[in-house]
Amino acid sequence: MDKPQIQERTKKLLEKAEKQEEFTKGLQELLKSYVDRDATKNYQRIIPNTGKFFGVPLPILRIVAVEMGKFIQKELTKAQLLLETIWDEGSFEARQIAGKCLEKFGPKNPKVCLDFISSVLPDLDNWANCDNLAMCGVEPIVYQRPELVLPLSGKWIKDENKWIRRFGVVSLRGYKRIQITDKVFGILDLVMEDKDKDIKKAVSWILREITKKNPDEVAKFLMKWAKANPSKDVRWIIKDGMKKLSDDEQKKILELLD
């Protein structure tokens, strides 16, 4: 992998940022030139329903995304159009890039970032792009301005589209670094009984993640559900979600489930 070459080619491509058709064509040519057979097999194996993809390794996508992220930070007036153009190309790789380039852009430009994210959520069709967009686009904003995200998380988590619901769950991952509030658990309450496997996996994962900063609160939340005669699906979430708690707390929860 020739990092300087990828960086230079990306910078050259960004000269066409305001010419949507030319930029899209150039982006496709760039991606096609880095197709890798192993990456293709991995996408097919671990991301069902990936849809359109080229088969470009993630390390290359990260390099491209960093350059594009630098560009939108400097060219704020061009950011919205460029983000939409990248996303609308439609491939798995383009949407990974769109998500990753928001990581440093979002905290300084939360409104632009969240407006863009909200507009593209209906396009989500797999867990990888869903989680990438949430972790890179929303999580950095949560660290600094959680009050902007929490009402949106509550809205997303009620959506009929399962990928938007999952996005709402993953948007709470930022609480792994900051103090949690009762409102967060109120949102998670809404999906604890969701039967979709992609939602269940997201809920248990996020519970493990936020345990790092909030172990007592997570233990209390899981004990509440363990006492409520939980269904098989909820029991699975509880058992998987408690794995970062202390052995003593896990033992207490398991006793409630017996």
Side-chain angles (χ1 to χ4, degrees):
M1 182 175 67
D2 189 336
K3 183 176 179 179
Q5 180 197 64
I6 299 168
Q7 291 172 321
E8 191 57 38
R9 292 185 65 185
T10 304
K11 291 175 184 176
K12 194 73 177 174
L13 172 61
L14 286 166
E15 294 175 6
K16 304 173 183 177
E18 294 180 279
K19 301 175 182 178
Q20 289 174 277
E21 289 187 11
E22 286 188 39
F23 179 88
T24 299
K25 182 178 179 182
L27 176 60
Q28 291 171 340
E29 290 174 353
L30 176 68
L31 294 173
K32 287 177 183 177
S33 68
Y34 291 109
V35 169
D36 179 272
R37 187 175 297 176
D38 289 336
T40 299
K41 289 180 180 178
N42 283 336
Y43 293 155
Q44 291 173 327
R45 178 175 58 84
I46 66 174
I47 311 171
N49 305 315
T50 312
K52 173 186 174 184
F53 69 97
F54 293 93
V56 181
L58 285 175
I60 292 174
L61 300 182
R62 292 190 189 101
I63 295 170
V64 174
V66 167
E67 295 305 316
M68 292 189 175
K70 291 176 183 176
F71 180 87
I72 60 175
Q73 288 182 71
K74 293 178 181 177
E75 302 283 352
L76 183 57
T77 58
K78 300 177 183 178
Q80 185 79 20
L81 177 62
L82 182 61
L83 288 168
E84 290 172 356
T85 302
I86 297 169
W87 186 270
D88 288 344
E89 191 281 329
S91 67
F92 170 78
E93 287 87 350
R95 291 180 174 180
Q96 282 281 306
I97 290 168
K100 292 182 189 306
C101 73
L102 295 172
E103 194 163 13
K104 293 184 178 179
F105 175 81
K108 296 179 181 178
N109 306 278
K111 186 179 185 307
V112 176
C113 185
L114 292 172
D115 284 351
F116 166 71
I117 287 171
S118 295
S119 73
V120 302
L121 289 183
D123 297 331
L124 292 175
D125 59 4
N126 64 75
W127 67 263
N129 281 340
C130 172
D131 296 1
N132 178 65
L133 189 62
M135 290 189 292
C136 297
V138 178
E139 188 174 317
I141 298 175
V142 172
Y143 298 151
Q144 297 182 16
R145 302 285 302 278
E147 75 279 2
L148 295 180
V149 176
L150 206 55
L152 293 172
S153 299
K155 176 184 175 183
W156 293 329
I157 219 159
K158 298 174 186 175
D159 203 280
E160 292 183 4
N161 183 322
K162 80 167 188 176
W163 296 118
I164 298 179
R165 293 204 307 281
R166 179 174 171 117
F167 186 89
V169 175
V170 182
S171 71
L172 301 173
R173 186 171 179 260
Y175 287 90
K176 69 179 185 176
R177 291 190 186 177
I178 63 175
Q179 187 63 42
I180 209 158
T181 70
D182 288 341
K183 290 181 180 179
V184 174
F185 290 117
I187 291 172
L188 287 173
D189 275 329
L190 299 175
V191 283
M192 281 295 289
E193 296 180 291
D194 200 306
K195 291 181 171 56
D196 187 278
K197 66 177 182 179
D198 290 301
I199 307 299
K200 291 193 298 181
K201 288 179 180 179
V203 175
S204 64
W205 169 44
I206 293 308
L207 285 168
R208 295 195 303 273
E209 289 289 286
I210 63 179
T211 296
K212 297 172 185 177
K213 183 72 176 179
N214 309 277
D216 293 341
E217 292 84 354
V218 171
K220 182 180 177 182
F221 175 76
L222 291 177
M223 284 182 184
K224 178 191 78 172
W225 275 97
K227 292 175 182 176
N229 190 26
S231 67
K232 180 181 177 181
D233 290 318
V234 177
R235 290 171 68 90
W236 184 89
I237 292 174
I238 293 171
K239 289 181 178 181
D240 200 56
M242 71 179 188
K243 289 180 179 178
K244 295 294 183 178
L245 291 172
S246 67
D247 290 344
D248 185 53
E249 293 288 9
Q250 289 189 50
K251 183 179 178 181
K252 290 179 184 176
I253 293 170
L254 287 174
E255 288 174 352
L256 292 171
L257 292 175
D258 288 340

